[in-house]
Amino acid sequence: MSVLQTPEKGPVIHDWRPEDPAFWGKSGKQTARRNLWISIPALLLAFAVWMVWSTVIVRLNAIGFSFSTDQLFWLAALPGLSGATLRIFYSFMVPIFGGRRWTALSTASLLLPALWMGFAVQDPATPYSVFVLIALLCGFGGGNFASSMSNISFFYPKAQQGTALGLNAGLGNLGVSVMQFSVPLVISFGVFGFMGGQPQVLADGSSLWLQNAGFIWVPFILAVTVIAWFGMNDLSSARASFSEQAVIFKRKHNWLMCWLYLATFGSFIGFSAAFPLLIKTSFPEVIALKFAFLGPLVGALVRPLGGWLADKLGGAKVTLWNFVLMIAMVFGVLHFLPQGGQGGNFYGFLGMFMLLFITTGVGNGSTFRMIPVIFRTLHEKASRGQKPELREQALKNAGKESAAVLGFSSAMGAFGAFFIPKSFGTSMALTGGPEMAFYMFVGFYLSCIVVTWWWYARKGAATPC
């Protein structure tokens, strides 16, 4: 038996009671932490592979390809489309297959797009359609988030879920920034020697190993897959069929939280995908890859803060005011953009975008904290006055439903990775600039303020959280 697993439990745990203080203090906390700290690097790699096209597209034409700006924005957007769609299915996988098994298998699936990308960029004759397929396969990384968050939610008690989910998501989200920081470095030299292939020669005579953008993740994916398989656990108490989980589609609050999460996480991941090319098109004189990693970095780092603030102050209150700040930051970004191709201030633009990324991170944490509280509250109200065993079963049902909603809302939120880059591409094609897209985002954030206030934040709200 692996030393990573406790001998008395093995890979499957049949007795799991995180709300029992004695159980939690004796063994539960240690087990939950181990699963969390293995989940985080697996999720980090998933985000890195999911968003790797945001960096690759900036250099594709420099190595011999001739794709239009709209085609490049499509390559940035397509992983978001496939990743969001896969999340719908991944949302329900953990209760069916088990968290350990699914984490290992879904992490291993990242090998396919990482390897294929590494080979495809080495041949300038590779057709655009092949890059489209690889971009869609990078969506495997996006799908992993839904199952990862669902899995971790089962391990922690209600009072600590905001912080735990914030750590898992926030440090996992760092994969975007880690990728956008490291890829420009590893493509500048032959990391893998002769095994990594020949470099591409640029117009100025310098060399580039763009294949390393895919190959660099392969050894890490293999290592984390093995660690997840032997180090994580499956919880038998989290088992549920798809039909048991599908009840969430009848829950109004599932759809409301999907709307809110599209505004928070959707903005984070969408801006992350579009940011490098947005810098390049708006400020051509700036080397975009020197700055692109900063936005996802700050957004990911503050996500645990959003969960922690929601634990302390209430998720609805934090979320409501965060949307107000998001609108203010969008207007700040607009103020520093070039007007009619003239003027603009890059560092003002960068500073306001950093603040916008911070608000997306805080909102990510606070909205995810709201979900388990909402569903626990609903089931507690419904079981009030019933026998103890029925109340206990109601709490278990609340845990399963909230886990499914965490996964499903993350799927809906991930569509931001498609809509935001595509919105910028469409706005530029129609008007010559990204301003129209930003005004659309403002309108969306206003609708989220209304939803948050009416259902969750106002005095007398039916489901305060």
Side-chain angles (χ1 to χ4, degrees):
M1 179 174 293
S2 168
V3 296
L4 291 172
Q5 295 168 351
T6 52
E8 72 278 11
K9 292 179 180 177
V12 181
I13 299 176
H14 298 288
D15 179 26
W16 187 251
R17 293 170 281 115
E19 300 293 346
D20 181 342
F23 174 86
W24 181 252
K26 183 178 180 181
S27 61
K29 184 177 183 179
Q30 180 182 359
T31 300
R33 281 183 173 177
R34 172 164 44 80
N35 280 269
L36 174 63
W37 290 112
I38 296 174
S39 175
I40 287 171
L43 191 54
L44 185 147
L45 287 170
F47 270 93
V49 172
W50 188 25
M51 290 288 107
V52 71
W53 278 105
S54 68
T55 301
V56 172
I57 57 175
V58 177
R59 304 309 299 268
L60 269 182
N61 286 351
I63 63 170
F65 296 94
S66 55
F67 301 138
S68 69
T69 298
D70 191 50
Q71 285 178 311
L72 294 175
F73 268 118
W74 266 108
L75 290 178
L78 285 172
L81 180 63
S82 60
T85 304
L86 285 172
R87 282 189 182 194
I88 296 173
F89 301 99
Y90 281 38
S91 302
F92 306 101
M93 293 297 105
V94 168
I96 295 173
F97 291 97
R100 174 187 67 93
R101 292 175 183 171
W102 189 253
T103 300
L105 292 172
S106 61
T107 301
S109 73
L110 303 176
L111 290 170
L112 179 56
L115 287 168
W116 195 3
M117 171 187 288
F119 290 114
V121 297
Q122 295 183 64
D123 182 5
T126 301
Y128 182 72
S129 59
V130 170
F131 287 126
V132 167
L133 288 175
I134 300 171
L136 289 170
L137 287 174
C138 284
F140 284 151
N144 287 5
F145 181 80
S147 53
S148 178
M149 296 299 280
S150 172
N151 183 45
I152 294 303
S153 73
F154 285 113
F155 280 95
Y156 280 84
K158 172 189 172 183
Q160 298 183 36
Q161 284 187 355
T163 302
L165 292 172
L167 284 170
N168 189 52
L171 298 181
N173 289 171
L174 275 177
V176 182
S177 186
V178 168
M179 178 276 297
Q180 291 182 342
F181 177 79
S182 61
V183 165
L185 298 178
V186 300
I187 64 176
S188 63
F189 64 101
V191 177
F192 299 101
F194 72 93
M195 293 187 298
Q198 296 299 312
Q200 300 89 42
V201 180
L202 304 182
D204 62 2
S206 60
S207 296
L208 203 65
W209 286 260
L210 196 58
Q211 60 266 35
N212 290 348
F215 289 158
I216 193 64
W217 311 109
V218 171
F220 298 104
I221 292 169
L222 290 171
V224 173
T225 296
V226 172
I227 293 171
W229 183 263
F230 291 103
M232 297 184 76
N233 297 102
D234 297 319
L235 300 178
S236 61
S237 61
R239 296 287 185 185
S241 66
F242 174 77
S243 60
E244 290 177 287
Q245 300 175 76
V247 68
I248 67 169
F249 297 123
K250 301 178 182 178
R251 306 297 193 204
K252 172 182 65 178
H253 295 285
N254 171 50
W255 301 106
L256 292 175
M257 292 310 301
C258 284
W259 189 255
L260 299 184
Y261 199 61
L262 177 60
T264 54
F265 178 78
S267 294
F268 168 80
I269 203 64
F271 290 144
S272 297
F275 197 40
L277 198 53
L278 186 62
I279 293 175
K280 184 179 179 181
T281 53
S282 299
F283 300 92
E285 73 282 2
V286 175
I287 301 176
L289 295 184
K290 284 187 176 182
F291 301 95
F293 75 94
L294 293 172
L297 175 65
V298 297
L301 288 177
V302 301
R303 179 161 185 161
L305 174 63
W308 181 81
L309 285 173
D311 281 338
K312 300 296 181 182
L313 305 175
K317 182 184 296 185
V318 174
T319 299
L320 178 69
W321 286 105
N322 191 70
F323 282 132
V324 174
L325 292 175
M326 289 178 75
I327 292 173
M329 296 309 108
V330 169
F331 281 113
V333 169
L334 285 166
H335 177 72
F336 290 106
L337 275 173
Q339 302 297 320
Q342 301 295 321
N345 183 305
F346 172 71
Y347 287 102
F349 166 87
L350 180 66
M352 296 308 300
F353 230 122
M354 292 307 99
L355 293 175
L356 180 57
F357 268 110
I358 288 173
T359 59
T360 66
V362 171
N364 286 342
S366 64
T367 48
F368 251 31
R369 169 63 172 79
M370 291 169 67
I371 291 171
V373 175
I374 289 168
F375 282 86
R376 186 180 179 92
T377 300
L378 290 173
H379 281 273
E380 284 178 342
K381 287 182 178 180
S383 63
R384 195 169 293 159
Q386 295 183 354
K387 296 179 180 179
E389 57 268 24
L390 293 177
R391 292 200 300 272
E392 183 179 348
Q393 183 59 46
L395 294 181
K396 289 183 179 179
N397 292 339
K400 292 178 181 179
E401 285 188 28
S402 63
V405 173
L406 286 169
F408 186 73
S409 62
S410 78
M412 296 298 101
F415 279 106
F418 170 75
F419 287 120
I420 286 182
K422 194 64 191 76
S423 295
F424 284 133
T426 301
S427 179
M428 289 180 181
L430 293 177
T431 68
E435 291 84 358
M436 181 180 72
F438 280 115
Y439 286 120
M440 290 172 57
F441 304 152
V442 168
F444 182 39
Y445 299 153
L446 284 171
S447 74
C448 292
I449 290 175
V450 173
V451 169
T452 306
W453 177 79
W454 180 259
W455 274 282
Y456 307 114
R458 68 184 174 90
K459 185 177 181 180
T463 316
C465 56

